[in-house]
Amino acid sequence: MRIRVLGTLHAETAGVSIAPSAAKPRQILALLALQSRHIVPVSDLMEEVWGAGPPRSAPTTLQTYILQLRRRLRAALGAPAPLPGAGTTAPCDPHAPSDKDILATRHGGYQLEVADCDVDALEFARLTRTGHAAYEAGDMAKSARLLNSALALWRGPALADLPHGKHLSIEATRLEESRLGALERRIDADLRMGRHREVLGELCALRGRYPLYENLHALLMVAFHQDGRSSDALIAFRRLRGTLVEELGLEPSPRIDRLHQAILRGEDALDAWRGSGSGQAAGLAG
């Protein structure tokens, strides 16, 4: 089975789509996939679909949605796999897992048995973990490669075509924060390898997309300075400061100010940013 949630929902097994068309079963499938191989309590599933006050019929309706998902799984699993050569198919494997093995009923909930590598959000988490570990170990090339692979899994905003109840809202926010953290660190690794020209265009676009995300602005300042464009680095600082003051009534953080002062003194901007603790997870200004 392959399930993708980093963008629109897509789920298939044996080359056959198992994603339902109705919104509520799609929410259930997405939440089960994000918690793959863990039990998702019935209460969480009902809260996701119906909120804090589910109707009295919610438990029965939830069972109906689970049965619908199993029927789609069963139909896909029953389709014979294609073999090389036109018009030939392989017989069904009698030892293959059934729909009830894949979408299992557990005490108090349900559990989707899918490998992490088959759910894009879980594969993203694995790649980012190893990418961050490589960065901390000082292997910038490996870190950038792994984080690039993780970011390439995204096809748009997470869970883009689904209604978000309480639990999917939390998951979407968590995934977006992880994406930004991976993006920032990958660019940081590129800068440490001297790839400032390669990332300048990307950073200029990100500045417009995330006008309050201080660390991305700081990396843009570093890239400009490394490229011999100190005036543009200072303009980037003034633009960030103006946005923060106008939108939030805040001055830039002390570490951004230290970077600004280092650029004014003609010092190495990357060393100044490294010394200010840029390796820590980025946060939104304010």
Side-chain angles (χ1 to χ4, degrees):
M1 182 186 295
R2 302 283 293 180
I3 301 178
R4 292 184 287 177
V5 297
L6 301 179
T8 56
L9 176 67
H10 178 84
E12 66 175 38
T13 187
V16 179
S17 173
I18 61 165
S21 57
K24 289 181 172 60
R26 289 168 69 84
Q27 285 175 270
I28 291 168
L29 177 59
L31 189 55
L32 289 168
L34 287 166
Q35 300 295 328
S36 179
R37 296 189 293 175
H38 294 82
I39 298 172
V40 181
V42 167
S43 58
D44 286 0
L45 292 167
M46 291 197 301
E47 187 176 36
E48 169 61 32
V49 172
W50 290 287
R56 295 178 62 181
S57 60
T60 302
T61 305
L62 176 62
Q63 290 178 348
T64 301
Y65 293 153
I66 295 294
L67 289 173
Q68 290 173 358
L69 289 171
R70 282 182 176 151
R71 277 199 295 269
R72 297 182 73 89
L73 268 171
R74 190 181 312 123
L77 292 169
L83 286 176
T88 59
T89 57
C92 297
D93 180 0
H95 303 293
S98 70
D99 57 285
K100 291 184 178 180
D101 294 324
I102 297 172
L103 179 47
T105 301
R106 303 296 186 211
H107 179 69
Y110 297 95
Q111 182 173 333
L112 190 66
E113 291 286 350
V114 182
D116 287 1
C117 62
D118 288 333
V119 180
D120 60 357
L122 304 183
E123 178 67 358
F124 170 78
R126 184 190 69 81
L127 288 168
T128 53
R129 281 195 303 270
T130 53
H132 288 311
Y135 180 97
E136 297 296 344
D139 191 340
M140 298 301 145
K142 181 178 180 181
S143 176
R145 184 175 66 254
L146 288 167
L147 294 173
N148 258 329
S149 296
L151 293 164
L153 295 172
W154 287 72
R155 299 167 292 109
L159 308 164
D161 60 342
L162 296 179
H164 292 178
K166 174 184 175 181
H167 297 278
L168 287 186
S169 291
I170 292 171
E171 291 292 340
T173 300
R174 176 185 65 81
L175 288 166
E176 181 61 24
E177 287 297 321
S178 297
R179 182 187 193 182
L180 283 172
L183 180 60
E184 180 196 337
R185 179 145 285 182
R186 195 226 80 216
I187 293 172
D188 191 298
D190 281 337
L191 290 173
R192 291 173 193 270
M193 291 187 290
R195 297 175 179 171
H196 46 275
R197 289 185 177 175
E198 289 88 336
V199 300
L200 264 173
E202 181 181 14
L203 282 167
C204 286
L206 290 169
R207 173 178 60 182
R209 195 175 304 159
Y210 302 102
L212 301 177
Y213 203 99
E214 285 194 345
N215 285 10
L216 290 176
H217 288 261
L219 293 174
L220 176 61
M221 293 166 62
V222 170
F224 275 136
H225 190 65
Q226 284 186 318
D227 200 42
R229 298 166 61 182
S230 298
S231 60
D232 286 322
L234 297 174
I235 290 170
F237 173 80
R238 287 201 296 271
R239 181 172 175 176
L240 169 64
R241 181 181 181 276
T243 301
L244 292 176
V245 170
E246 180 179 351
E247 296 291 331
L248 302 175
L250 295 175
E251 292 288 338
S253 65
R255 62 188 182 190
I256 301 288
D257 190 58
R258 286 194 292 270
L259 173 61
H260 176 231
Q261 294 300 318
I263 293 171
L264 286 172
R265 293 192 296 266
E267 298 172 358
D268 188 286
L270 188 56
D271 282 345
W273 182 240
R274 182 186 297 120
S276 70
S278 64
Q280 303 300 319
L284 201 63

